[in-house]
Each structure stands twice: as structure tokens, then as C-alpha cells.
Amino acid sequence: MNTARNTVLEAWMKEHGHSSNSLADAVNKALERLTGRTGGLDGSSVRDWKAGRVKWPKTATRKALEDVTGLSATALGFVPRGRAPSAPAPPQEDPETMKRRTLVGGIAAAVAAAAAPGTAPPRRIGMNDVDRLQTRFAEIIASDHRQGGRLGLEQRAAALADEALNLQNAGSASQRVRSNLYAAAAAFRSSAMWAAIDGRRYGDAKAHMREAQALAEMSGDQAIKFRIWSHAGTMYRHMGRPADALAANDVARNLHITRRDPLFASLGHARQAATLGLAGDTAAVQRALGYAQDTLGRADRSLARPVWMTAACDGAELETLALAAHLRLGNFGRAEAHAHRSLTLLRPQMQRDRAINTVRLAHAQLAQGAAEAATATAMKVPAITATRHARVSRMLQEFGAALRATAPGSCTVQTWNEHTSAVWRAFRP
């Protein structure tokens, strides 16, 4: 008997930007939360669902899939066992066949009614919906750590912000749930903002910032307000506008959360130090880094905090920002020391930050006259990151220009030129 494709599931996956592999990963994580054991699904499992070869997944898998999507299995196009005829119907339908056909038709009609705007009965939006969004937010943060400011990441984050807002109108909800939905939308929009900053698309970043700020105000969430204003400070710093960067950082540093949680205070002081480095204020940089180190020492690192604060919790973010500040000030020896410490503290999954700090280390070494060591350091940046991440590419171009100015015509310059030519030939976007 021919199997019918599950076009409803295919449509949902396309709408939410899921490949077969990414949906399998999301369901595996949901299974682990439900059962305590990691799921064993892969892309081929999802392809079996789409092709109609598996019409009704196992109970735990169905529940995990429903947690991920927020929809029932039947609303996703799956058909319970026994609902469809198991053999071709005879030419003359008997009463039982007619009953089964009517039942299957009723299921299809129910699915169609759920998809039709304005016809579905209102549902209760709850913390399960918020938890599902938070899982997707963790996926966005993980992608940012790996890839940085790709346009696709920015677009996915913006789409998820819209999805969180759409839930506000999808049914009834408590005030707590509604506040959490606004916070989730603000979080996704802040990630879209950061991806645009990281990709040097500053006009888009400012548009995301304005929407994120409005959503954060409606949520009342202090942590996401801190993230948005801190990102604004970083954006203005990258744009070469230190006065605006300092003003944005001051908004973040004056939020109540920095008085409740020393870790937020530490991050605020460290980001202020990086901006003060751009302004060339050595004494202020030293003072801000001292405050950052002191408050980090008083923070209880065992407390649960937003997933985007991972690097702040282990001190890697403080070292990274100290590196940026001292590099701006021309304190190249101190910058090199902070670079080595940051690379030691950064977790393996933080590939973008590792690439950026590796290039900063190369700049610090070159400025101290160690051209050969600096070139060897710069060549450690993974080729795919060197060619496809806007900030890293620009920083490597600046390194090459500084190397040629420092050691013109040397073997080291020749080595660097050959390396970059080979990388761009192999990984041209």
C-alpha cells in the first residue's frame, strides 16, 4: 500500500526553519527532559515521519514532539494506529469501512480547522509554551557561540521573536505567562540585534534594538534589559562612538539587577572598561577592571542565570573585555596576558570568541615586535571562521596590513600571504 506524505509536518518544519536533523536534536533533548535518557532519533527518523513511513510515533516520542512544537500529534499530521484502513476497501463499502472512513475524514477536518485562522477554539497558553521558547533560545545562543553574526542566525532569531509575540494572541494566559512571553520575544530580538552587530550590519542592529527595548519594558525582565543595553554599548563601541557607548553602558549598570547580583555588576564594569579603552582613558580602564574583578569575586557562581551569561560566570568575558581595553590603550604586554587567560577560560563551544581573541593575541604579539610568533598565532584561526565571519575577516585583514608595514618583504609576510590565499581559495563563500 502506498504511504501518504505528512505534508502538515513538512509545512510546520519549513515555517519554523527546522531541518530533519535539527528537529531530531530538539526532540531528543525533550525526550531527555521527559525520561532522563537521551533520545536516539536522527535525521532519518524525521524523514520517515515526513514520508509517511511512520504514521504514529511511540508515546514518549509523541509527547516530546508535542513539547517541541506546541501542537498535538494529530495536528502535526500523524494518524493514530487503527484509524486508517489497513487493507484496500472492497468495491462495496460495508458499515465498518464507512465508519473508519468517516473517522479518518473527521480527523482530517479537525486538522484543517486547527490550521484555519479564526476557527480554532482558544487554548490555554502556559509555562510549557514558555519553556519551549527558552529551549529554542538556548539553541540560538549555541549557534551564536559557534558561528557568530550570520544573517541566517539574525533572521531565525527575529522569526522566533515574532513567534513568541504571536502566542500572546493564540489563547488565554496568566499575567506571569504573558510577561514571560514578552521577555522571550525581547531575548530573541536581542539575539537578532547581536547577530547584526557581530556581522557589522549596524542599521539592522539599531532596528532590532528599538523593538527589543520596547518588548523588554513590557516584560519587566531586568536581565534582558541589561543584555539589550549592554549590546547597545558594544554596538556604539564598534561604530567608534564612545560617548554613546558609555551612556548605553551606564543604563545597563544602573539597573536594579546589578545591585542584586554582583555577576551582572561585574559584566557591566568590564564592558565599560572596554569602551573606556576606546576613549583612551587609562586610569578609568584600570578602575573599571578593578571593580569588575572585585564584584566577580563576590558573585555566587552556582546561581542559575540566563544562558547568555555563560562566559561571564567563568571569568572568560572579563578577560576578553580586559584584552580589548588594553589593546586599545596600547598596553600590548598586558593585552597578551589577558588574551592567554581568556583562551584558557573560554569553553570549547565558544568558537567565535576564541577566533576573535586569537586574532587579538596576534595583534598584541605583532605590536611587541614578535612578527613570526604573531603570524603563527593568526594562522590558528579556523579557515571557515576567517572567511565567513565579518568581524574576524576584517580583523585578519588589519593584521595582514600591520604585518606588511612591520616586516615588509620578509619571509613571514610571504608565509602569511600564501596562507591567506590558500584559505580564501578553499573556503570562498
Side-chain angles (χ1 to χ4, degrees):
M1 183 175 65
N2 292 332
T3 57
R5 292 192 68 81
N6 189 338
T7 56
V8 177
L9 177 64
E10 286 181 316
W12 184 92
M13 289 175 62
K14 183 177 181 181
E15 179 185 353
H16 291 80
H18 266 300
S19 66
S20 295
N21 288 332
S22 69
L23 181 57
D25 289 343
V27 175
N28 281 336
K29 292 173 184 174
L31 275 166
E32 186 172 11
R33 289 194 299 272
L34 286 169
T35 67
R37 297 187 300 275
T38 304
L41 302 171
D42 57 19
S44 65
S45 307
V46 178
R47 287 189 286 274
D48 285 343
W49 298 345
K50 292 193 295 183
R53 290 188 287 271
V54 175
K55 294 183 178 297
W56 193 241
K58 294 179 181 178
T59 302
T61 302
R62 288 199 313 275
K63 180 64 173 69
L65 183 60
E66 288 170 352
D67 286 349
V68 169
T69 63
L71 297 172
S72 67
T74 52
L76 288 167
F78 292 104
V79 180
R81 294 185 183 91
R83 297 291 181 91
S86 59
Q92 183 69 37
E93 289 185 339
D94 60 29
E96 285 302 312
T97 301
M98 291 179 67
K99 286 181 183 178
R100 287 196 297 270
R101 183 163 58 83
T102 301
L103 183 56
V104 173
I107 293 170
V111 172
T119 62
R123 70 183 184 93
R124 182 73 175 172
I125 310 300
M127 289 304 295
N128 283 342
D129 298 286
V130 173
D131 291 343
R132 178 174 58 83
L133 289 170
Q134 289 175 343
T135 298
R136 302 298 298 277
F137 182 60
E139 293 167 2
I140 289 288
I141 295 297
S143 294
D144 173 63
H145 287 162
R146 289 193 305 271
Q147 303 170 343
R150 302 279 183 88
L151 180 60
L153 178 61
E154 176 189 346
Q155 292 170 335
R156 285 205 308 279
L160 285 165
D162 291 340
E163 183 178 327
L165 284 178
N166 288 339
L167 277 175
Q168 294 280 9
N169 300 316
S172 60
S174 68
Q175 184 57 47
R176 172 173 173 254
V177 169
R178 293 204 181 280
S179 294
N180 276 277
L181 289 176
Y182 281 125
F188 284 123
R189 190 61 68 173
S190 71
S191 282
M193 172 190 175
W194 176 246
I197 293 169
D198 209 27
R200 300 177 60 78
R201 299 180 294 275
Y202 298 126
D204 293 336
K206 284 188 279 188
H208 291 307
M209 176 185 71
R210 287 189 289 270
E211 187 159 353
Q213 287 167 339
L215 292 167
E217 286 300 321
M218 288 189 282
S219 76
D221 188 301
Q222 288 269 307
I224 199 59
K225 288 183 185 181
F226 180 93
R227 186 184 196 221
I228 293 162
W229 281 105
S230 291
H231 282 348
T234 302
M235 177 182 71
Y236 289 126
R237 173 160 56 90
H238 288 333
M239 294 172 70
R241 294 166 54 178
D244 291 331
L246 290 170
N249 285 335
D250 279 341
V251 175
R253 294 191 310 127
N254 288 323
L255 290 168
H256 293 305
I257 197 168
T258 62
R259 292 188 283 278
R260 294 200 309 266
D261 189 340
L263 189 63
F264 281 87
S266 175
L267 184 54
H269 288 308
R271 288 181 173 170
Q272 193 79 329
T275 301
L276 290 165
L278 178 63
D281 193 335
T282 301
V285 166
Q286 293 289 82
R287 195 161 50 246
L289 288 176
Y291 291 147
Q293 192 65 57
D294 178 62
T295 47
L296 179 64
R298 290 191 283 109
D300 182 351
R301 303 191 197 186
S302 67
L303 295 176
R305 292 185 176 89
V307 66
W308 51 267
M309 288 196 72
T310 300
C313 292
D314 55 23
E317 183 82 354
L318 173 54
E319 296 296 337
T320 292
L321 292 163
L323 161 60
H326 283 295
L327 202 57
R328 284 285 187 179
L329 291 171
N331 298 332
F332 299 117
R334 299 190 70 171
E336 181 177 3
H338 285 295
H340 286 299
R341 285 199 288 271
S342 74
L343 292 171
T344 299
L345 291 169
L346 282 170
R347 301 187 185 192
Q349 67 266 30
M350 303 189 76
Q351 298 168 19
R352 184 269 319 280
D353 287 358
R354 183 170 296 280
I356 288 173
N357 287 357
T358 298
V359 184
R360 285 172 171 162
L361 171 59
H363 275 285
Q365 291 171 327
L366 181 62
Q368 295 176 85
E372 188 173 341
T375 301
T377 296
M379 289 170 64
K380 293 178 182 177
V381 176
I384 194 166
T385 308
T387 54
R388 298 186 184 178
H389 190 284
R391 277 176 68 195
V392 176
S393 296
R394 178 180 57 82
M395 291 171 70
L396 286 170
Q397 289 166 6
E398 292 170 350
F399 172 80
L403 177 64
R404 287 187 284 273
T406 302
S410 66
C411 293
T412 304
V413 170
Q414 183 179 350
T415 298
W416 176 251
N417 290 340
E418 290 172 353
H419 169 76
T420 54
S421 296
V423 164
W424 278 96
R425 281 197 304 270
F427 289 91
R428 192 182 307 276

